[in-house]
């Protein structure tokens, strides 16, 4: 099976060397994680080649050929597309917002059209090489819309999506003007992956709040499709880092970082120069360490590497200036003729050089204010084949949910971070090595190859489980032969839903009463030879009895909590206790008073909040809010929260229309044909909207 990997950038980049364009393999991260996938699964990689802006058409032709040889498909972007899709939407809007930096958003968010257009170009590039049976793996926030676009082109394709950055709280996410479209874009996939369970939870609450979809922990029903939601913490190429670490020494050109007793302990920071990485507060914490523990003055230094990143964006330029001035301040304040406290390097180093620093560091300081995972922390651990070194790790990284033996800090708390640096510096060798062994165990066993394999295995399963279109809603043209079969059946059992099926919806439930024509129709149906008719409804048994009590029908009220066989008398099933009822009623009552036009219905088998009479948009908004509340409040209670047509019902576990189906079926004469007709479905049991 071929795997098509789709990401913003291809894992190669081209730079001019004299008159020639020369391609370089990117190292680290995704490139290392997926190179095996691309090799083993005869994969193809689709992405932007990131060539210099003055690339000529001859050079492009060369790059096209060079890439094809490596099974890569370039998506060439125009300067306008780079600006709109990459710089404006991806880097100026999505990146800060997903990292909770909502105040960084431009006043007027624009260029969605370009973002959408470029996403369509990526989808078209995939389509140009797609063959049935291929699986497609789309990466990251640049390409949110691609899964849905591909689903439109290839309804049966096996499509996965992985988000490398955090998924923020729905309170923050809903600030995006295109929030619904982004969620719908992702939902084109069969499997959506996140680094942590926290991000998956936040995604789920956005689905509910914004699209009104109700995920069940790791899956969500989208029309006829089920989309899986999974947690796949990304790792690093641990064996590769460890093997290199065995051989390396700190290169001589990094003299200040060289490990020697006189220079004292080495604290290390390695980051892309990005405002999410927490470098300014890290410098403040270091300054505070020198202030509060003066015994370390002259005996410790911080080497901070910051690879230039997104240099065309002014927020990054300002940020660089801020870091430089903080570093100078610390050096000016504490430095001596023999000792420089902060060594700040604003350039990219080779992987070999970075690794050598990891090996030399006494304390690795990873303190982002928000980070999807943070691979630097894991690379550091993988490099420490000597089982030494301390990791100070921000609790706002995805890695913190895995690396329990690191010293966890809240990077916003500069005092606490300074104390953690001190604790790391004075930690006993035994404790250091004990912690590092445990960290290494985790990082080496959940490496990047395992991450890719696990994701792709789950993707394959999600694809296999995809239901065939099945007996869902019956299209009108298919109905005629079904009706013929029902008419010809010697014994026919009909299960009829009431609201939305036999009558339309009314503003107030009491107004949706059966008219004379309907009562006559039911009477005639029930009188038909060999025919038994059952009404199955969520209404109370008092209501059904008032309306249909005199007809020879089977009646089932409150979703089967009460039943009356044709001509018999009402009986309630033994209802399970409802310990949740009181606290749920308080919430529903609160929503009733806050949502004009809505009402609360009390039934013996549960509660229902109806909002058909509310202003439509406000009603739907409140309904989503209510579901969020109830899900939190009742997560461990034996109750189901069921959204219906302008109603949210709370029903004890074990009650449902499916139960009625089973009971009626048991009583039906042998050879009978049963038909269930309705406008909704009962999740736990048999569908009521199809004919059998
Ligand atoms: P990034 O934000 O780029 O990735 P990270 O995971 O830390 O962050 O990866 C950075 C990579 O760049 C590492 O491989 C590191 O070695 C390298 N690097 C950093 N500084 C360097 C320097 N000065 N010189 C050379 N190389 C340097 C995004 C998300 C992360 C998520 C990854 C993977 O923001 O949260 O962990 O994707 O999903």
């Amino acid at each position: 099976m071929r795997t098509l990997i789709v990401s913003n950038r291809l894992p190669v980049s081209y730079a001019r060397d004299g008159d020639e364009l020369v391609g370089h393999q990117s190292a680290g991260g995704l490139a290392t994680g997926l190179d095996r996938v691309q090799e083993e699964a005869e994969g193809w990689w689709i992405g932007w080649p990131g060539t210099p802006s003055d690339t000529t058409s001859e050079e492009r032709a060369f790059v096209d050929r060079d890439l094809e040889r490596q099974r890569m498909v370039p998506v060439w972007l125009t300067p306008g597309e780079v600006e709109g899709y990459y710089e404006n939407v991806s880097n100026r809007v999505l990146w800060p917002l997903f990292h909770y930096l909502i105040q960084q958003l431009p006043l007027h968010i624009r260029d969605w059209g370009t973002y959408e257009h470029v996403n369509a170009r990526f989808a078209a590039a995939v389509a140009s090489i797609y063959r049935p049976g291929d699986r497609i793996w789309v990466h990251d926030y640049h390409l949110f819309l691609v899964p849905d676009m591909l689903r439109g082109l290839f309804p049966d394709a096996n499509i996965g999506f992985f988000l490398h950055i955090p998924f923020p709280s729905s309170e923050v996410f809903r600030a995006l003007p295109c929030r619904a479209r982004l969620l719908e874009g992702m939902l084109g996939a069969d499997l959506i992956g996140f680094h942590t369970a926290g991000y998956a939870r936040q995604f789920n609450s956005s689905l509910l709040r914004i699209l009104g979809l109700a995920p069940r922990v790791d899956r969500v029903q989208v029309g006829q499709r089920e989309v899986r939601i999974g947690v796949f913490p990304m790792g690093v190429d641990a064996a590769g880092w460890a093997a290199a670490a065995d051989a390396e020494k700190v290169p001589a050109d990094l003299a200040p970082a060289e490990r020697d007793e006189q220079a004292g302990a080495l604290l290390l920071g390695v980051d892309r120069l990005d405002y999410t990485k927490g470098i300014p507060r890290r410098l403040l914490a270091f300054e505070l360490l020198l202030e509060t523990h003066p015994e370390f003055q002259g005996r410790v230094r911080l080497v901070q590497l910051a690879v230039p990143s997104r240099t065309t964006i002014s927020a990054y330029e300002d940020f660089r200036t801020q870091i430089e001035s903080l570093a100078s301040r610390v050096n000016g304040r504490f430095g001596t003729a023999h000792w420089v406290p902060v060594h700040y390097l604003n350039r990219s180093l080779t992987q070999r050089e970075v690794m050598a620093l990891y090996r030399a560091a006494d304390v690795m300081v990873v303190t982002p204010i928000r980070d999807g995972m943070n691979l630097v922390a894991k690379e550091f651990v993988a490099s420490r084949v000597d089982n030494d070194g301390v990791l100070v790790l921000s609790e706002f990284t995805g890695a913190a949910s895995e690396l329990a033996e690191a010293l966890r800090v809240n990077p916003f708390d500069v005092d606490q971070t300074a104390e953690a640096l001190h604790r790391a510096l004075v930690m006993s060798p035994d404790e250091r090595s004990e912690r590092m062994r445990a960290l290494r165990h985790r990082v080496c066993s959940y490496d990047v190859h395992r991450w890719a394999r696990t994701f792709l295995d789950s993707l394959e399963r999600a694809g296999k489980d995809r239901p065939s279109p099945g007996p869902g809603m019956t299209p009108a043209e298919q109905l005629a032969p079904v009706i013929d079969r029902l008419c010809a059946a010697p014994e026919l059992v009909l299960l009829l839903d009431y609201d939305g099926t036999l009558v339309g919806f009314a503003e107030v439930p009491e107004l949706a009463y059966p008219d004379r024509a309907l009562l006559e129709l039911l009477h005639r149906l029930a009188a038909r030879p060999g025919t038994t008719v059952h009404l199955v409804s969520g209404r109370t048994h008092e209501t059904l009895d008032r309306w249909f009590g005199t007809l020879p029908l089977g009646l089932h009220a409150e979703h089967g909590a009460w039943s009356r066989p044709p001509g018999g008398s009402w009986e309630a099933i033994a209802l399970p206790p409802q310990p949740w009822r009181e606290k749920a009623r308080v919430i529903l009552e609160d929503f009733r008073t806050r949502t004009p036009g809505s009402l609360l219905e009390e039934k013996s088998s549960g509660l229902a909040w109806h909002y058909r009479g509310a202003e439509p948009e406000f009603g739907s908004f409140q309904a989503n809010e209510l579901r969020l509340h109830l899900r939190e409040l009742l997560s461990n209670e034996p109750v189901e929260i069921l959204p219906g047509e302008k109603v949210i019902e709370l029903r004890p576990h074990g009650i449902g229309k499916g139960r009625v189906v089973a009971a009626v079926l048991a009583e039906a004469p042998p050879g009978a044909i049963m038909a269930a007709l309705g406008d909704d479905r009962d999740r736990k049991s048999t569908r009521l909207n199809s004919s059998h």
Side-chain angles (χ1 to χ4, degrees):
M1 179 192 298
R2 299 195 313 175
T3 303
L4 312 184
I5 301 159
V6 196
S7 66
N8 172 50
R9 284 292 298 270
L10 286 172
V12 284
S13 49
Y14 288 85
R16 220 177 280 291
D17 187 1
D19 288 344
E20 284 198 331
L21 272 190
V22 182
H24 301 276
Q25 295 292 328
S26 315
L30 205 54
T32 323
L34 296 179
D35 61 356
R36 282 194 197 167
V37 172
Q38 208 200 351
E39 282 302 312
E40 288 166 13
E42 221 212 277
W44 283 75
W45 201 313
I46 296 100
W48 175 30
T51 44
S53 54
D54 58 353
T55 306
T56 63
S57 51
E58 290 82 39
E59 285 173 330
R60 267 192 192 206
F62 157 75
V63 171
D64 280 339
R65 282 194 305 277
D66 195 42
L67 290 176
E68 184 167 5
R69 208 174 33 79
Q70 303 170 68
R71 292 204 306 273
M72 295 188 197
V73 178
V75 179
W76 293 100
L77 300 180
T78 65
E81 287 172 340
V82 173
E83 190 186 334
Y85 146 82
Y86 181 64
E87 292 178 356
N88 290 352
V89 175
S90 301
N91 289 343
R92 284 198 174 91
V93 176
L94 299 177
W95 176 267
L97 184 117
F98 278 67
H99 290 87
Y100 289 79
L101 296 164
I102 196 165
Q103 73 284 2
Q104 304 237 23
L105 297 191
L107 290 182
H108 185 177
I109 296 176
R110 284 190 285 208
D111 286 327
W112 287 120
T114 314
Y115 181 82
E116 187 141 10
H117 171 74
V118 172
N119 272 242
R121 294 202 48 214
F122 273 82
V126 176
S128 72
I129 57 160
Y130 176 78
R131 295 200 304 241
D134 288 348
R135 59 185 172 193
I136 307 171
W137 189 1
V138 182
H139 290 266
D140 230 359
Y141 61 101
H142 313 89
L143 304 175
F144 275 132
L145 308 181
V146 171
D148 183 52
M149 290 168 166
L150 287 171
R151 179 67 59 208
L153 294 170
F154 308 111
D156 293 328
N158 193 201
I159 305 170
F161 179 84
F162 188 83
L163 185 68
H164 289 263
I165 60 177
F167 196 95
S169 141
S170 60
E171 272 306 296
V172 169
F173 180 75
R174 73 196 179 107
L176 276 177
C178 59
R179 57 211 181 170
R181 181 77 192 98
L182 291 189
L183 294 176
E184 287 161 1
M186 295 166 83
L187 289 174
D190 294 306
L191 172 67
I192 300 174
F194 299 94
H195 283 305
T196 73
Y199 304 155
R201 254 196 328 270
Q202 319 258 45
F203 172 68
N204 283 352
S205 59
S206 278
L207 287 182
L208 179 53
R209 172 168 274 162
I210 294 161
L211 297 184
L213 294 173
R216 280 169 291 150
V217 188
D218 65 345
R219 62 199 62 199
V220 59
Q221 192 70 32
V222 183
Q224 294 290 321
R225 291 191 308 118
E226 186 170 76
V227 177
R228 298 290 169 98
I229 298 156
V231 178
F232 306 91
M234 186 172 169
V236 296
D237 179 22
W241 283 95
D246 257 344
E248 297 296 337
K249 241 174 82 86
V250 177
D253 63 334
L254 276 175
E258 205 168 338
R259 198 169 200 185
D260 74 62
E261 288 309 314
Q262 271 186 334
L266 172 61
L267 305 188
L268 178 64
V270 175
D271 306 83
R272 257 191 324 100
L273 185 66
D274 193 285
Y275 48 72
T276 59
K277 302 291 182 184
I279 304 173
R281 287 190 179 86
R282 186 180 310 165
L283 290 168
L284 288 183
F286 182 60
E287 182 180 37
L288 192 61
L289 168 81
L290 298 177
E291 199 178 294
T292 50
H293 297 282
E295 68 278 14
F296 277 102
Q297 289 177 20
R299 293 184 45 225
V300 65
R301 69 235 138 98
L302 169 66
V303 171
Q304 175 63 56
L305 291 195
V307 201
S309 173
R310 304 175 191 173
T311 41
T312 53
I313 297 180
S314 60
Y316 284 77
E317 201 44 46
D318 300 344
F319 179 66
R320 193 170 76 107
T321 317
Q322 185 192 19
I323 293 177
E324 281 168 5
S325 87
L326 275 173
S328 318
R329 184 174 95 189
V330 180
N331 285 342
R333 209 175 141 198
F334 294 103
T336 66
H338 309 288
W339 173 62
V340 179
V342 179
H343 299 256
Y344 174 64
L345 285 75
N346 181 217
R347 62 191 163 88
S348 184
L349 299 188
T350 62
Q351 200 172 357
R352 198 180 134 258
E353 291 169 318
V354 173
M355 207 276 315
L357 282 164
Y358 288 151
R359 286 278 284 124
D362 294 286
V363 183
M364 183 78 215
V365 199
V366 180
T367 54
I369 52 172
R370 204 59 77 163
D371 210 338
M373 171 51 71
N374 193 286
L375 298 180
V376 165
K378 292 186 172 181
E379 291 168 358
F380 166 69
V381 170
S383 307
R384 297 312 296 251
V385 283
D386 59 350
N387 289 314
D388 204 356
V390 183
L391 175 62
V392 172
L393 182 62
S394 158
E395 62 187 68
F396 293 98
T397 60
S401 61
E402 288 177 83
L403 304 181
E405 295 77 13
L407 294 186
R408 281 162 65 103
V409 292
N410 168 5
F412 295 93
D413 186 342
V414 171
D415 300 80
Q416 185 215 13
T417 309
E419 271 318 297
L421 295 181
H422 180 250
R423 188 165 164 223
L425 285 167
V426 300
M427 189 180 281
S428 73
D430 283 353
E431 186 178 349
R432 285 205 306 259
S433 119
E434 207 166 293
R435 284 175 182 266
M436 185 51 78
R437 275 175 212 280
L439 288 170
R440 288 183 58 72
H441 181 69
R442 169 79 203 175
V443 168
C444 296
S445 44
Y446 289 85
D447 69 358
V448 71
H449 306 293
R450 183 159 171 180
W451 167 77
R453 228 176 25 245
T454 318
F455 184 91
L456 289 172
D457 287 349
S458 305
L459 175 58
E460 209 175 313
R461 277 200 302 278
K464 283 204 182 104
D465 292 350
R466 188 178 322 114
S468 56
M473 296 298 282
T474 316
E477 68 268 20
Q478 288 176 17
L479 213 54
V482 175
I483 292 175
D484 288 348
R485 270 190 72 197
L486 296 185
C487 290
E491 288 289 342
L492 178 63
V493 180
L494 289 175
L495 290 172
L496 305 177
D497 174 39
Y498 181 68
D499 289 278
T501 303
L502 296 183
V503 292
F505 291 105
E507 197 132 298
V508 183
E510 283 72 45
L511 293 181
Y513 52 79
D515 60 12
R516 210 179 176 70
L518 176 59
L519 292 172
E520 264 169 30
L521 175 68
L522 289 172
H523 199 89
R524 274 195 287 131
L525 254 185
R528 188 176 175 270
T531 307
T532 320
V533 183
H534 293 263
L535 279 192
V536 191
S537 167
R539 299 263 183 171
T540 61
H541 75 286
E542 288 92 350
T543 307
L544 290 194
D545 201 61
R546 199 166 65 245
W547 288 345
F548 304 104
T550 58
L551 296 182
L553 308 173
L555 297 177
H556 308 271
E558 299 193 20
H559 306 283
W562 289 81
S563 284
R564 190 209 77 168
S569 51
W570 284 102
E571 264 184 53
I573 65 159
L575 282 175
Q578 300 172 29
W580 44 269
R581 197 172 170 110
E582 252 336 288
K583 51 182 174 182
R585 181 191 288 114
V586 174
I587 304 266
L588 294 187
E589 189 52 41
D590 178 39
F591 270 74
R592 187 191 65 75
T593 47
R594 286 198 283 128
T595 315
S598 72
L599 49 96
L600 176 58
E601 187 186 2
E602 295 250 6
K603 308 180 190 185
S604 54
S605 63
L607 299 165
W609 177 74
H610 296 264
Y611 58 100
R612 184 165 300 279
E615 193 279 313
E617 241 178 60
F618 185 60
S620 304
F621 177 82
Q622 291 287 74
N624 290 342
E625 291 290 312
L626 174 61
R627 280 160 74 192
L628 266 178
H629 262 327
L630 293 172
R631 271 161 53 123
E632 295 260 305
L633 185 80
L634 306 175
S635 57
N636 297 319
E637 302 282 0
V639 59
E640 282 183 89
I641 303 161
L642 301 164
E645 262 297 316
K646 304 282 183 188
V647 61
I648 289 178
E649 289 207 51
L650 298 180
R651 191 170 77 181
H653 281 314
I655 307 267
K657 289 179 178 176
R659 194 189 181 105
V660 177
V661 175
V664 170
L665 205 53
E667 296 289 314
I673 291 195
M674 178 189 266
L677 303 149
D679 71 323
D680 60 358
R681 60 168 59 190
D682 198 310
R683 272 203 283 136
K684 280 258 160 88
S685 47
T686 317
R687 290 182 198 169
L688 285 185
N689 54 7
S690 59
S691 304
H692 305 278

